[in-house]
Amino acid sequence: MTGTLVLAGTPIGDVADAPPRLSKELAEADVIAAEDTRRLRRLTQALGVTPGGRVVSYFEGNESARTPELVEELRGGARVLLVTDAGMPSVSDPGYRLVAAAVEHDIKVTAVPGPSAVLTALALSGLPVDRFCFEGFLPRKAGERLSRLREVAGERRTLVYFEAPHRLDHTLAAMAEVFGADRRAAVCRELTKTYEEVKRGPLGDLAAWAAEGVRGEITVVVEGAPESGPEELDAGELVRRVRIREDAGERRKEAIAAVAAEAGLPKRVVFDAVVASKRSAG
């Protein structure tokens, strides 16, 4: 008989949020694969649990190499518990490769549901929660970041992102540029921890606030694009969207075609708006 892979959620801040089943799994698993074994040790000490099985590291740097080892353990009948530093494994954390490999070998995969920064931030944001999409971390390079944001500029579902505190100001400024400075958003900082803070407001205001420096674990929630018809996009807005694409490296012809497609307008309308803008600037 094959074993079972258990994905277990861990606290994102307050250790009291640990799922009751987590302690049982930690004590009974044959193998515990942890993103950071030192953090796991602190967690087990806080929970008053002694791991009953072998503890191994499983992080981004060794994920590819260690996955086959863990699959062999599972095929041999072991119960393997996977935990990350905070939240649910596989959600912007190690885990996907192991789950995919387990599924490929017809190994049972189950979960101990636990805290999630994505859902917690979404619920606290005050923004629509009926439909949303999780975008993870944006690229670090400015051009790639703008390009990724452009891809979802027309997305009507609420958007959720993770971000490092030292990049937050640049990310919010890029969001304000692509989505519009008036688009509503919420920056959720240090969720469930002592200094938890949820800062809500237009992207432009949040970008100015973040420029002063922000610390801690960050989740950003952004309102989806409003429903709008072609008639609501004036010439200035069309030109702005074309410039955003050009700044990110697109040729003008392709940028005009893309903006026209997004707006549901003939390419000639967007082209004329760009030409008129150049004439007025000259």
Side-chain angles (χ1 to χ4, degrees), residues 250-266:
E250 281 191 21
R251 293 167 53 188
R252 177 165 297 175
K253 181 178 179 180
E254 283 75 16
I256 288 173
V259 171
E262 290 174 356
L265 293 170

Side-chain angles (χ1 to χ4, degrees), residues 133 135 138-139 143-157 159 161 178-179 244-245 248 250 262:
C133 53
E135 289 289 309
L138 286 165
E144 294 176 3
R145 184 166 54 232
L146 282 172
S147 180
R148 183 74 60 80
L149 290 171
R150 285 200 330 268
E151 292 176 4
V152 294
E155 175 59 63
R156 293 179 181 175
R157 292 173 294 180
L159 301 161
Y161 295 89
V178 176
F179 299 154
I244 289 173
R245 289 180 172 275
E250 281 191 21
E262 290 174 356

Side-chain angles (χ1 to χ4, degrees), residues 165-220:
H166 62 280
R167 291 196 299 268
L168 180 63
D169 56 342
H170 297 296
T171 290
L172 290 172
M175 287 178 172
E177 179 181 347
V178 176
F179 299 154
D182 294 331
R183 180 86 69 90
R184 294 188 300 163
V187 176
C188 303
R189 187 179 71 85
E190 294 291 87
L191 289 172
T192 77
K193 299 178 184 177
T194 302
Y195 298 103
E196 175 181 283
E197 179 182 23
V198 179
K199 190 76 172 180
R200 306 176 182 88
L203 280 169
D205 292 354
L206 291 175
W209 164 75
E212 300 177 5
V214 179
R215 303 173 71 177
E217 300 287 335
I218 304 292
T219 305
V220 180

Side-chain angles (χ1 to χ4, degrees), residues 220-240:
V220 180
V221 185
V222 184
E223 181 180 33
E227 295 188 17
S228 60
E231 70 281 355
E232 297 181 32
L233 297 178
D234 59 21
E237 175 63 15
L238 295 174
V239 172
R240 186 183 76 85

Side-chain angles (χ1 to χ4, degrees), residues 6-11 17-22 25 81-82 87-89 110-116 119:
V6 183
L7 310 179
T10 55
D17 293 333
R21 281 175 52 205
L22 178 59
E25 292 289 351
L81 179 68
L82 177 61
M88 285 299 296
T110 188
V112 177
S116 166
L119 297 180

